[in-house]
Amino acid sequence: MTLSAPTTASTPPDRTTLASVRNAARVLRVFSRAGQELGITELSRQLGLGKSTVHRLVTTLTAERLLERGSTPGRYRLGLVLYELGSKVTEHVDLHQAALLVLTTLRHETGEMVHVAVLDGLEVVYVERLESHNLLPIFRQVGHRLPAHWTSSGKILLAALPQHELTRRLSGWRPVAQTPWTITDKSRLLTELAVVAKRGWAQNNEEGHLGIVSVGAPIRGRDGKVMAAVSVVGDSARMRTMMRRSTALVVESALVISRRLGYSSPPA
């Protein structure tokens, strides 16, 4: 992972940012080459910060494993956590490349909005989105979050979690009903997730927004684990007239994306 080194001149401060966090980010960016090791004095000089400030920043970053001690005393290098985070970014780049053409075809075949989402806690984050000519009164941008249990994508991703992890995440679950059809009972949710895991696709029937229905299927990585979900979202009246076809198309699309990511599906 290559990080660009900053210039010694600092940019004007932004009142919406925290100076300590900004300085911590500047420390990390100084390590511009993989394997580079730097000491407190060098960091202080390059950043234009006092040694005591740099020492506190480095100590905190090391405790969080963003930095680690180098091969000689008093020197530091990038920590493994940064490389782990970098690999996650690469996964999303690969996902974008694998999904875009398939999503375009899926939108054309259904005439509806299509998404790719990933799970963060008990929320889904939409990382890909293609609009259709059938405009919907819902979110309009990549990066939007929704409670996972409201959505077909979220149900797919929750159903793929190991049982102990799902139990942990739902331990303090206190959902609020968004519509009369929102699932708010844990037992009912767990029952539905078990069905979703078995059949390989999920539906959302106006559970997050009145008049909005969706169907989703899992995207798997090379290791076979579910890493994302693809969904078709549309007006309830239109979607219900073509739900069987939309379900078949979204399941097929998810499998194509998975294969483009290196997944080899087991023989039927």
Side-chain angles (χ1 to χ4, degrees):
M1 180 173 59
T2 301
L3 301 170
S4 300
T7 60
T8 53
S10 58
T11 55
D14 183 340
R15 292 181 180 179
T16 64
T17 63
L18 292 172
S20 59
V21 176
R22 183 168 177 270
N23 284 333
R26 291 178 63 210
V27 168
L28 294 174
R29 293 179 63 197
V30 170
F31 292 85
S32 58
R33 299 191 306 274
Q36 183 179 23
E37 296 185 3
L38 296 170
I40 299 297
T41 301
E42 293 165 281
L43 289 168
S44 175
R45 183 177 65 253
Q46 292 193 44
L47 294 168
L49 296 173
K51 290 184 180 180
S52 60
T53 299
V54 172
H55 187 270
R56 289 195 299 271
L57 289 168
V58 167
T59 299
T60 302
L61 291 169
T62 302
E64 294 298 324
R65 296 175 57 228
L66 295 168
L67 291 178
E68 64 184 27
R69 297 188 182 279
S71 57
T72 58
R75 300 184 74 79
Y76 298 84
R77 61 193 176 201
L78 295 177
L80 290 178
V81 167
L82 273 179
Y83 292 99
E84 291 169 3
L85 292 174
S87 70
K88 297 299 181 184
V89 174
T90 301
E91 284 179 9
H92 288 170
V93 171
D94 292 343
L95 179 59
H96 169 77
Q97 294 170 343
L100 187 56
L101 181 60
V102 182
L103 291 179
T104 302
T105 302
L106 181 60
R107 178 181 62 178
H108 175 74
E109 292 289 335
T110 62
E112 301 295 345
M113 184 186 295
V114 296
H115 298 121
V116 171
V118 296
L119 189 65
D120 183 15
L122 288 174
E123 294 181 320
V124 286
V125 182
Y126 292 92
V127 296
E128 300 289 344
R129 167 186 165 278
L130 291 183
E131 183 66 90
S132 75
H133 65 276
N134 296 314
L135 298 178
L136 298 175
I138 56 175
F139 60 89
R140 296 284 180 213
Q141 69 281 338
V142 167
H144 192 87
R145 292 170 174 265
L146 286 176
H149 67 288
W150 288 7
T151 70
S152 57
S153 294
K155 291 177 185 178
I156 286 291
L157 295 166
L158 290 175
L161 292 174
Q163 188 59 49
H164 70 276
E165 177 62 17
L166 180 60
T167 300
R168 185 188 70 79
R169 295 195 191 194
L170 291 175
S171 61
W173 190 54
R174 299 290 184 272
V176 176
Q178 178 76 357
T179 78
W181 291 275
T182 306
I183 297 175
T184 57
D185 179 75
K186 187 183 296 186
S187 296
R188 182 184 163 200
L189 177 63
L190 291 173
T191 298
E192 179 154 351
L193 294 180
V195 172
V196 167
K198 184 175 181 179
R199 73 186 179 192
W201 52 269
Q203 286 185 6
N204 147 43
N205 292 301
E206 301 187 73
E207 295 160 48
H209 297 86
L210 289 174
I212 302 298
V213 168
S214 68
V215 58
I219 296 173
R220 299 179 185 275
R222 185 183 301 273
D223 59 3
K225 295 180 180 178
V226 176
M227 60 181 291
V230 60
S231 60
V232 175
V233 185
D235 171 80
S236 58
R238 289 194 307 271
M239 287 291 290
R240 284 177 178 137
T241 63
M242 61 173 191
M243 183 57 74
R244 180 174 295 181
R245 181 168 180 269
S246 294
T247 300
L249 286 170
V250 81
V251 169
E252 180 183 5
S253 297
L255 182 56
V256 171
I257 296 171
S258 299
R259 286 173 175 164
R260 296 186 73 179
L261 288 166
Y263 171 66
S264 298
S265 55

